[in-house]
Amino acid sequence: NNAFHDNFLDIDFDLSKVMFIATANNLATIQPALRDRMEIIELTGYSVEEKVEIAHRHLLPKQASEHGLDAAKIKMEKPSLEFLIEHYTRESGVRNLDRMLASITRSIAKSIVMGERVNYTITPSRIENILGKPIPREKYENNQHAGVVVGLAWTAVGGDILFIETSLSPGRGRLTLTGNLGGVMKESAIIALEYLKAHATDFQ
């Protein structure tokens, strides 16, 4: 606000001794001139086990408090937390997990306000009732389908597995690439086709 801004300007300090801390999911979006003046500290994503502990010790109690609930009454065991993490969040951090827990605690708070019977036990089936159908797992997860290969992609919120599907049709032997593929992926597909052409006799 204006009062804070005015007081801040009156403070006498040496800017050369001021340290600013910033966070980012993607370093590529930071201007090179600014990035050169930053000390980069890389933080890897959390494992499922770490997310379970963070949710149990910090996120769930915080959301319960913010929604006027007693955290000690809410019973959310490890299998339920794992179900929530694996089926409703796809991220290296815990922001989305925090949002999901907020939705669950809001559902409990709503039951209290509406005078309904309150159930403080959170099971996987109840999570599904509150949050809807879970994010479907890929049907090619085990890669047992012909014409499907597995690739890895980098995203701002962690890695992701890509399932690249091919189809064969009559034509002149041209390669058609669909989707928003980057240069490296396109190059890989062209190399694969050239390999097939070079070994066409072996593969019939």
Side-chain angles (χ1 to χ4, degrees):
N1 56 34
N2 291 334
F4 174 80
H5 183 263
D6 293 340
N7 292 331
F8 183 75
L9 291 178
D10 291 337
I11 298 174
D12 185 19
F13 59 87
D14 184 0
L15 264 179
S16 65
K17 296 179 180 178
V18 175
M19 180 175 67
F20 295 93
I21 299 176
T23 61
N25 289 330
N26 185 2
L27 287 177
T29 59
I30 302 176
Q31 290 293 331
L34 176 60
R35 193 166 66 239
D36 288 343
R37 290 164 174 79
M38 300 176 105
E39 183 71 28
I40 307 297
I41 302 174
E42 297 279 355
L43 299 176
T44 58
Y46 299 113
S47 66
V48 173
E49 292 76 14
E50 289 172 328
K51 289 181 181 181
V52 167
E53 289 301 316
I54 292 170
H56 179 70
R57 297 183 187 184
H58 305 289
L59 301 182
L60 188 57
K62 182 193 79 171
Q63 291 298 339
S65 175
E66 289 182 359
H67 290 84
L69 302 174
D70 183 359
K73 290 184 179 180
I74 301 176
K75 293 180 174 60
M76 196 169 187
E77 301 297 334
K78 183 178 178 180
S80 298
L81 285 170
E82 289 178 347
F83 177 81
L84 177 65
I85 291 165
E86 292 180 355
H87 292 85
Y88 290 89
T89 63
R90 287 185 177 178
E91 57 177 351
S92 57
V94 293
R95 287 181 187 172
N96 204 37
L97 175 59
D98 193 29
R99 293 189 192 101
M100 297 296 107
L101 290 171
S103 297
I104 292 170
T105 50
R106 269 196 301 273
S107 176
I108 297 174
K110 177 189 170 187
S111 298
I112 295 173
V113 172
M114 300 294 289
E116 301 170 353
R117 183 179 177 182
V118 181
N119 182 6
Y120 289 97
T121 302
I122 308 298
T123 61
S125 59
R126 189 166 179 208
I127 291 173
E128 190 169 335
N129 289 335
I130 296 171
L131 301 178
K133 290 290 183 182
I135 300 172
R137 292 186 178 274
E138 299 285 354
K139 63 179 180 179
Y140 302 130
E141 184 175 14
N142 296 321
N143 197 28
Q144 296 176 348
H145 296 258
V148 177
V149 295
V150 178
L152 297 176
W154 177 92
T155 69
V157 292
D160 201 3
I161 297 175
L162 302 178
F163 295 92
I164 302 153
E165 186 172 353
T166 60
S167 62
L168 185 65
S169 61
R172 299 180 181 178
R174 293 177 180 172
L175 177 64
T176 303
L177 301 175
T178 61
N180 188 20
L181 294 177
V184 174
M185 294 292 289
K186 290 177 181 177
E187 185 177 285
S188 298
I190 292 170
I191 292 172
L193 178 62
E194 293 303 318
Y195 178 86
L196 288 173
K197 286 181 177 180
H199 297 82
T201 304
D202 300 335
F203 293 121
Q204 300 179 356

